[in-house]
Amino acid sequence: MTGAPLRRVKSLSILAVVAWSALVFLAWSQPWFTLTAQGRAGDTLTVTVQGAAAAPALSALALAGLALSAALAIAGPVIRIILGLLELVLGLSIVVSSAAALADPVPAGQSAVTSATGVAGSSSILAIAEATGSTPWPWVATVAGTLMAVTGILIVVTFRRWPVSGRKYQPVQFADETGRTSTSPATLVEANLEPAGPVDGSRSTERTTPETAQDSAPSTAAPVETSQPVDLDAKAESDRTRAVDSWDSLSRGVDPTN
C-alpha cells in the first residue's frame, strides 16, 4: 500500500486520536449524576454532580491525548509504537475512571454533596445522600476511552504502513564538488583542506590556506616589458658630444682645415 492509502491511514489515525480526546474533554465538562441529600435543617436537597467532580482525572487524560496526536504527526516508526501504547494506556485509564463513577455515583459526587450540605466524610455522605439519576455523559466518556484504546492498538499494528515524515523534518545535507555529504559545512571545508595523500613518507599536518597556496604556486605569467618615454633633445646632445670627442681624438686637437 503506497501513496494516498498510506497517507489516509496516518491521517485517519491522528484524526481519531483528536476526536476521542475532544469527546472525553467534552464529557468531563458536563453534568453526570443527580443526587438527593438531607440538609442540616432536615430538608431534602438536589445535588447535580459534574463530570469534573465525578472523574477529575479525565481532563488531564484528554489533554494528554491531544498532545499525543501532535507528536504522532512527526514521529518515526519506533516512537510511533511508543505513542500507540501510550494511547492505549490513556484509553484504559479513562474507561476505569468513568466506570468507577458509574458503579458508585455517591462517593464520586461527595465533593458536590459537601459543598451543598456542609457535611464531610465518606461515611456521613453515604448516610445522607443517594443517587436518583444519571446523564449519558459518563457513558460517552467510557465509550470514548474504549475507542482511544482501540486506536492505540491500531497505531501499533499499522505503524509500518505510515509514510515517512516530510523533508522539512529531516536534517539538511550539504555536499561538495567531490560528492561528499555532511550536515555540517565546516566538516566539508576541513576535509577539502587536508592533503589527499602522504608527503615524504608521512602525512603532512599543515593545512593549505588560500594565502599559502598562492605563495607556493609556480609563477607562469610572462614578464611584462615596460617602456619609458625617450628625451630626443638629450639624445641628440649626447650624440654630438661623442662626435666632438672622436674628432679631437683623431686630430689631436689641431684643426686640419687651417
Side-chain angles (χ1 to χ4, degrees):
M1 200 164 42
T2 58
L6 288 177
R7 290 191 294 270
R8 191 175 299 113
V9 170
K10 179 179 180 179
S11 300
L12 290 177
S13 299
I14 296 175
L15 181 61
V17 173
V18 174
W20 310 144
S21 300
L23 192 58
V24 170
F25 198 84
L26 177 62
W28 169 82
S29 64
Q30 301 300 315
W32 279 26
F33 308 113
T34 301
L35 306 179
T36 58
Q38 297 296 323
R40 292 184 176 180
D43 54 339
T44 302
L45 303 176
T46 300
V47 180
T48 300
V49 181
Q50 298 288 331
L58 293 190
S59 61
L61 295 172
L63 290 175
L66 293 175
L68 186 145
S69 65
L72 275 175
I74 59 174
V78 177
I79 303 300
R80 203 174 298 149
I81 297 176
I82 298 174
L83 293 177
L85 295 175
L86 182 58
E87 178 74 1
L88 173 61
V89 173
L90 291 176
L92 294 177
S93 300
I94 291 172
V95 171
V96 171
S97 182
S98 302
L102 280 169
D104 204 347
V106 175
Q110 64 178 353
S111 60
V113 174
T114 299
S115 299
T117 63
V119 178
S122 299
S123 59
S124 299
I125 290 175
L126 289 174
I128 66 171
E130 64 178 2
T132 58
S134 65
T135 66
W137 290 110
W139 294 101
V140 171
T142 303
V143 173
T146 303
L147 292 175
M148 285 181 66
V150 173
T151 303
I153 296 174
L154 292 178
I155 291 172
V156 174
V157 172
T158 63
F159 79 98
R160 293 186 180 275
R161 299 181 182 179
W162 289 28
V164 296
S165 301
R167 290 182 59 87
K168 63 180 178 179
Y169 301 115
Q170 304 296 329
V172 178
Q173 294 286 337
F174 298 91
D176 60 5
E177 63 276 5
T178 63
R180 286 179 292 194
T181 60
S182 175
T183 57
S184 173
T187 303
L188 295 177
V189 173
E190 293 180 357
N192 289 330
L193 292 179
E194 292 180 356
V199 179
D200 296 334
S202 61
R203 187 180 182 87
S204 174
T205 59
E206 297 183 356
R207 294 180 178 176
T208 305
T209 62
E211 292 78 8
T212 58
Q214 183 177 2
D215 295 340
S216 61
S219 177
T220 58
V224 180
E225 296 182 357
T226 59
S227 59
Q228 298 180 353
V230 179
D231 191 347
L232 297 180
D233 294 338
K235 186 175 184 301
E237 181 66 24
S238 177
D239 293 343
R240 184 166 54 252
T241 301
R242 285 198 298 271
V244 171
D245 292 342
S246 299
W247 175 260
D248 291 340
S249 176
L250 293 174
S251 62
R252 296 181 180 179
V254 180
D255 186 2
T257 60
N258 293 331

